[in-house]
Amino acid sequence: MTALADMTDTGKLATYNFAYLDEQTKRMIRRAILKGIAIPGYQVPFASREMPMPYGWGTGGVQVTAAIIGPDDVLKVIDQGADDTTNAVSIRAFFAKTAGVETTTATAEASIIQTRHRIPEMPLTEGQVLVYQVPIPEPLRFLEPRETETRKMHALEEYGLMHVKLYEDIARNGHIATTYAYPVKVEGRYVMDPSPTPKFDNPKMHRSEALQLFGAGREKRIYAIPPHTEVVSLDFEDHPFEVQHFDQPCALCGGEQVYLDEVVLDDRGGRMFVCSDTDHCENRCAAGHRGELAGDDLFDGKDKGVETEAST
Amino acid sequence: MQAATSHSIAYQGEFSDPVRGAQSVFRAVMDATARPGSIHQLADLCTPPAPLTASAAAIIATLADAETPVWLDSALARSEAVRDWIVFHTGAPVTVHQDEASFALVAAPQSLAALNGFSLGTQEYPDRSTTLILQVSDLTKGAALVLEGPGVNGTASIAPSPMPLHFAAQWRDNRAGFPRGVDLILAGPGCVAALPRTTRLAQREA
């Protein structure tokens, strides 16, 4: 097999199959993925394997990526929007080593994007696959702990309990206080957990151009949303679904209508809000956009002809 | 010797590179399922004994193994060489019971009288259903099917041939049982398309 031969030649992990998993495991995962696509939002059980990383570090996403990735793919991995955090760097390195694939941090260049809890700000395109790492795939789990019961609730399309939960939010807080893992209904049938993405990202799932695959390793479930599929966040007529709004733009790139992370600057209450999507922020900075805390020394020689903050 | 010939046929004809072949064929099938109506070329094919076709063989070699019973229609079941090839290359048990099959290989779709004899899954586990692989001679020159549903931006069109008799009615019944139902993979010459159970037929063009 050339895959193995290539690896032997370059002294890499000759004892591993391409993309780490054995072929029988990949076939089992591939069958689950096809069922998931055919039944959008339905959680397909699969025989999740132990991976060389602990549960909670994306074992489900890694198994899905390993089952679909090919030598021509370009892989991007993000952790809370960032390309440069431990989880993202480790998983990128894992596939660079076991599959020999090219990796990138640029959203537009990637054919597969594995994500932990964010959807990139840049709209995804046809041909891209977004792989979510999912901790708890069952949206009804905190309302009903028994799998036998939640499975029956999905079978009977009995989702009243979820609306009661959202109603209790309103009764206690005056608004729906769920801010992440906000439940959605897929193609008018299955209620689905979009993984702990902020609800800010929910509208991006609706009729997305990209195929979205979800892998939960510990919970042994795979589910999917095909492209151009209805994904509706649950709400009430008098309390419609709303995304988070931020009072200020990104402190580095000045971006608005993006999801921001809060960064504490000192012990006197100083803080800044910056783009959670690092690739989006870097692209905007490179294009000359400036936020109020973007030090110009960061952009030495790159800001010719670009409007910068007036310094005093 | 007759037996030796039949065996040597069974032992040959797998992917030239099983790891990459299975990956590239799976991606084509995945993209076809995610975008019903789209047609994807198969870069890697198998060379099985007739009447199993190269693309149907590549798909079954990619997806089937010892955990997935395979059902063969009468055109394929008549050929001992085909059965031997599938068993040797995938390890999948060949079953005569439609409702036990994870995959069904159909060489003569026009003779397929009913889809509901296959496993449709259960309301709790709709994934426990049969996936049918139909060998078609063409994906663009048959009667046009206009498709709607998840994966389709507006409408899409595909014209596979041959297809089961009264396919529109059969498919409407299959769709009515959602989430239960079968999924179809259409294996054309060197290419693949798919009709997952979510796909609706808008109307049949003349």
Side-chain angles (χ1 to χ4, degrees):
Chain A
M1 281 172 240
T2 41
L4 293 179
D6 289 351
M7 288 178 176
T8 316
D9 288 347
T10 52
K12 283 189 218 165
L13 289 173
T15 50
Y16 286 102
N17 191 21
F18 176 79
Y20 185 79
L21 292 176
D22 59 280
E23 288 303 295
Q24 207 264 325
T25 298
K26 285 188 200 166
R27 266 194 303 274
M28 174 270 297
I29 295 172
R30 286 166 179 168
R31 291 194 294 258
I33 290 172
L34 293 183
K35 296 288 188 189
I37 296 170
I39 317 166
Y42 166 74
Q43 301 163 49
V44 186
F46 82 110
S48 177
R49 302 294 195 240
E50 293 224 6
M51 297 301 285
M53 61 192 71
Y55 287 135
W57 286 71
T59 53
V62 165
Q63 288 179 79
V64 170
T65 301
I68 65 174
I69 202 165
D72 300 329
D73 277 308
V74 179
L75 179 70
K76 171 183 164 88
V77 185
I78 51 175
D79 173 4
Q80 305 274 15
D83 293 282
D84 52 5
T85 50
T86 310
N87 198 215
V89 172
S90 304
I91 293 172
R92 255 198 329 269
F94 176 76
F95 282 110
K97 194 170 186 178
T98 60
V101 293
E102 195 184 329
T103 62
T104 183
T105 61
T107 304
E109 287 171 15
S111 58
I112 299 174
I113 302 172
Q114 183 172 329
T115 177
R116 177 175 173 275
H117 315 343
R118 270 316 306 282
I119 300 173
E121 303 291 357
M122 173 186 288
L124 300 179
T125 55
E126 186 178 336
Q128 289 185 310
V129 184
L130 187 61
V131 179
Y132 295 74
Q133 303 173 196
V134 181
I136 297 177
E138 177 51 71
L140 303 165
R141 182 60 69 234
F142 290 111
L143 307 171
E144 169 52 65
R146 289 167 296 181
E147 169 70 13
T148 48
E149 292 303 305
T150 53
R151 192 157 279 281
K152 190 146 280 172
M153 290 158 82
H154 284 295
L156 299 175
E157 210 175 342
E158 178 50 71
Y159 295 127
L161 204 54
M162 183 58 88
H163 275 103
V164 171
K165 190 246 177 204
L166 296 176
Y167 167 75
E168 285 181 350
D169 259 12
I170 297 170
R172 285 197 189 119
N173 307 302
H175 60 97
I176 297 177
T178 305
T179 54
Y180 66 94
Y182 191 104
V184 294
K185 196 165 209 180
V186 182
E187 201 61 23
R189 179 57 178 82
Y190 282 99
V191 164
M192 191 198 89
D193 186 335
S195 86
T197 48
K199 67 178 178 180
F200 183 88
D201 286 339
N202 276 21
K204 295 179 192 161
M205 307 175 85
H206 177 63
R207 303 199 74 81
S208 170
E209 289 272 341
L211 169 63
Q212 303 172 74
L213 302 176
F214 299 77
R218 184 189 52 216
E219 302 290 323
K220 302 176 173 53
R221 295 290 184 274
I222 285 172
Y223 50 107
I225 304 176
H228 308 294
T229 298
E230 300 277 330
V231 181
V232 179
S233 303
L234 299 183
D235 62 0
F236 298 97
E237 275 176 22
D238 51 347
H239 284 273
F241 171 78
E242 283 179 347
V243 298
Q244 290 101 331
H245 290 286
F246 297 92
D247 297 335
Q248 44 193 310
C250 169
L252 294 179
C253 74
E256 294 178 358
Q257 309 297 320
V258 293
Y259 191 74
L260 301 179
D261 283 338
E262 181 179 3
V263 180
V264 174
L265 296 175
D266 52 37
D267 59 0
R268 285 166 288 137
R271 61 199 59 214
M272 67 194 286
F273 288 86
V274 297
C275 286
S276 144
D277 184 338
T278 53
D279 176 56
H280 180 76
C281 197
E282 283 164 14
N283 283 343
R284 280 180 53 85
C285 288
H289 298 282
R290 291 289 178 275
E292 59 179 6
L293 290 178
D296 279 339
D297 51 336
L298 288 172
F299 305 101
D300 268 346
K302 286 187 191 164
D303 54 357
K304 268 178 263 170
V306 166
E307 142 190 1
T308 52
E309 295 292 322
S311 54
T312 47
Chain B
M1 252 164 51
Q2 195 60 42
T5 319
S6 135
H7 280 148
S8 60
I9 291 172
Y11 298 150
Q12 293 161 2
E14 64 162 356
F15 288 123
S16 56
D17 179 341
V19 174
R20 289 191 185 178
Q23 192 275 334
S24 76
V25 170
F26 167 71
R27 274 295 273 279
V29 173
M30 182 181 86
D31 289 341
T33 310
R35 293 184 169 78
S38 64
I39 297 170
H40 298 265
Q41 300 303 311
L42 296 174
D44 298 271
L45 294 169
C46 296
T47 44
L52 189 59
T53 63
S55 47
I59 293 164
I60 204 71
T62 298
L63 295 175
D65 57 32
E67 297 173 351
T68 59
V70 173
W71 179 88
L72 305 175
D73 77 344
S74 56
L76 289 167
R78 270 197 298 272
S79 163
E80 197 179 331
V82 165
R83 236 182 11 249
D84 289 347
W85 192 91
I86 291 169
V87 169
F88 179 77
H89 290 287
T90 70
V94 172
T95 177
V96 294
H97 302 291
Q98 288 189 333
D99 59 351
E100 279 180 2
S102 298
F103 295 99
L105 273 168
V106 180
Q110 67 278 16
S111 311
L112 197 62
L115 296 174
N116 58 13
F118 295 99
S119 174
L120 306 176
T122 65
Q123 200 69 13
E124 278 88 1
Y125 292 94
D127 56 304
R128 295 178 183 175
S129 57
T130 307
T131 299
L132 282 78
I133 301 166
L134 306 187
Q135 295 187 171
V136 295
S137 53
D138 206 282
L139 288 170
T140 52
K141 296 196 183 108
L145 305 171
V146 179
L147 313 178
E148 290 176 344
V152 181
N153 191 9
T155 59
S157 180
I158 190 170
S161 155
M163 286 295 274
L165 281 175
H166 310 299
F167 177 69
Q170 290 202 45
W171 194 245
R172 198 165 48 240
D173 292 348
N174 187 58
R175 180 75 186 79
F178 189 84
R180 302 170 73 219
V182 298
D183 306 309
L184 304 185
I185 297 175
L186 307 174
C191 57
V192 65
L195 295 176
R197 66 193 77 177
T198 47
T199 302
R200 301 180 295 272
L201 297 181
Q203 72 214 28
R204 199 177 258 271
E205 285 178 0

